[in-house]
Amino acid sequence: STWGNFLLLKKKMLKKLFLFCFVSINLCVVPSSVSKEKKTEKIVQILNEFVDNEVENAIYMFRLSETSKKTQEFCFAQVGGQYLRYRCCVFFSNVAALLLSDRFAISPRNQIWPYFTDKTVDLLTEQTRISLLYKHFNMWASGTGTKLPHGIYKAELEIGGVRGTLTKCEFDTVHTYLVFSSPEINEVFVDMTIRQLLFIPDLMDEKLLLKAYSEDIVGKWAEHFVGTESQIREKYLSYSILRSNMEAVVDNPKKFDWKNFDSLFNLLKTIYDAGSRARLCGNPIQYLKSGQEKSDL
């Protein structure tokens, strides 16, 4: 019958449509995930370019200013601070957070970030930039060190058309980093002291830290990281990479305290866990566990 033929045709069309939806990346459920991945890639690219240029340039300015004063501040005067940014994660994370919020914040900004797009400038402009940094970051430079305020933990930003929240994550003295989150993307991390994760600096003295730098174990790695959790775990939070790096610098690997190394590595892995972020990100500095000893990674 005509009605029967119509139902049969409809059934065939629905079957074809289902199969088309199943294999197509442009229809049905798939586009939302593809779109989220693409948006995440775009945000990573934008943030990476900004950190590569403006943020690192601001850090260059701080280093220029502090070293000219012959400061004893660890981040600028000591081997660990100079090459691994060891014990400097709060400092450099604050520099990044304040410049990012100045550039991408939804609310009015100071508009100082354009001053840090190129470091090859005349001395007067360079001095002006340094003054701007100290003024807007409320920096206090003295012989005892340079410190940033710890009061800013969240900022609402719009990056590449995506509105979200930039949050500072402080895990006691273990580590500090930034994360940009939005329902539209996967979380994007900005870690300004990523080189610390190439070793366990708590188990290294100045001689070993210098050896790590001079033998070019450190130099082949970027000073910062911008990307997703899976990327940072794959590239940095690898037991084999850390173990290999430590074996390359310690004097006698067979007699090294690998038990302590394993314990600190297990602690290090937790700083990027979703549970740890939910409990500790956006809050003042605190211990990962009550009563836990401090660790300056």
Side-chain angles (χ1 to χ4, degrees), residues 14-282:
L14 288 173
K15 185 177 180 180
K16 288 183 178 179
L17 180 61
F18 172 77
L19 290 173
F20 183 68
C21 288
F22 184 75
V23 299
S24 174
I25 63 171
N26 297 313
L27 296 175
C28 300
V29 179
V30 179
S32 62
S33 60
V34 170
S35 176
K36 190 171 186 177
E37 294 296 329
K38 291 296 183 184
K39 284 183 179 180
T40 303
E41 289 176 11
K42 181 181 178 182
I43 299 304
V44 169
Q45 181 182 0
I46 292 171
L47 286 176
N48 221 345
E49 289 177 357
F50 187 80
V51 173
D52 267 339
N53 297 294
E54 284 76 8
V55 177
E56 286 293 351
N57 195 19
I59 291 173
Y60 165 83
M61 293 292 177
F62 277 125
R63 189 179 301 281
L64 183 73
S65 176
E66 292 301 307
T67 53
S68 69
K69 300 172 186 174
K70 299 187 181 343
T71 179
Q72 295 305 305
E73 165 62 34
F74 190 91
C75 296
F76 304 105
Q78 305 299 315
V79 172
Q82 286 179 330
Y83 304 131
L84 292 181
R85 294 182 177 174
Y86 172 47
R87 294 180 179 170
C88 308
C89 52
V90 174
F91 178 90
F92 290 123
S93 293
N94 278 335
V95 173
L98 292 169
L99 265 184
L100 285 166
S101 61
D102 184 69
R103 168 64 179 86
F104 297 104
I106 297 170
S107 57
R109 314 156 198 147
N110 294 316
Q111 288 293 322
I112 64 168
W113 67 269
Y115 289 91
F116 304 98
T117 56
D118 179 20
K119 63 186 178 188
T120 56
V121 293
D122 61 80
L123 184 61
L124 180 62
T125 308
E126 203 163 75
Q127 294 286 1
T128 303
R129 290 177 171 188
I130 292 170
S131 297
L132 279 168
L133 282 171
Y134 284 109
K135 175 183 177 182
H136 289 281
F137 294 162
N138 192 27
M139 298 292 293
W140 295 94
S142 68
T144 58
T146 306
K147 298 185 181 299
L148 276 164
H150 290 239
I152 301 173
Y153 289 91
K154 290 187 178 182
E156 298 303 312
L157 309 184
E158 183 172 338
I159 304 172
V162 173
R163 288 198 171 200
T165 303
L166 182 72
T167 305
K168 183 168 65 175
C169 299
E170 292 181 349
F171 297 92
D172 190 52
T173 54
V174 177
H175 201 56
T176 298
Y177 59 83
L178 309 173
V179 57
F180 180 66
S181 56
S182 167
E184 298 181 52
I185 61 168
N186 299 319
E187 288 182 312
V188 176
F189 296 83
V190 178
D191 193 322
M192 296 305 301
T193 54
I194 194 68
R195 283 182 173 178
Q196 296 181 36
L197 306 188
L198 298 172
F199 301 90
I200 304 291
D202 277 9
L203 304 179
M204 301 168 71
D205 57 21
E206 285 283 292
K207 183 183 77 171
L208 293 184
L209 290 168
L210 185 59
K211 184 178 180 182
Y213 176 76
S214 61
E215 295 192 3
D216 204 31
I217 301 172
V218 174
K220 64 184 72 171
W221 299 80
E223 289 197 290
H224 62 261
F225 169 86
V226 179
T228 62
E229 180 183 352
S230 61
Q231 290 170 338
I232 202 168
R233 288 191 181 281
E234 179 182 356
K235 191 171 183 180
Y236 290 94
L237 294 180
S238 162
Y239 182 87
S240 60
I241 291 176
L242 261 73
R243 175 93 184 209
S244 176
N245 287 344
M246 290 296 290
E247 287 178 345
V249 296
V250 298
D251 295 326
N252 191 337
K254 290 184 178 180
K255 293 184 178 181
F256 189 69
D257 187 0
W258 294 112
K259 185 177 180 180
N260 198 10
F261 172 90
D262 290 348
S263 176
L264 288 170
F265 175 76
N266 289 331
L267 169 63
L268 193 62
K269 289 192 301 182
T270 67
I271 65 175
Y272 287 96
D273 288 348
S276 295
R277 296 201 303 274
R279 288 185 295 108
L280 301 175
C281 290

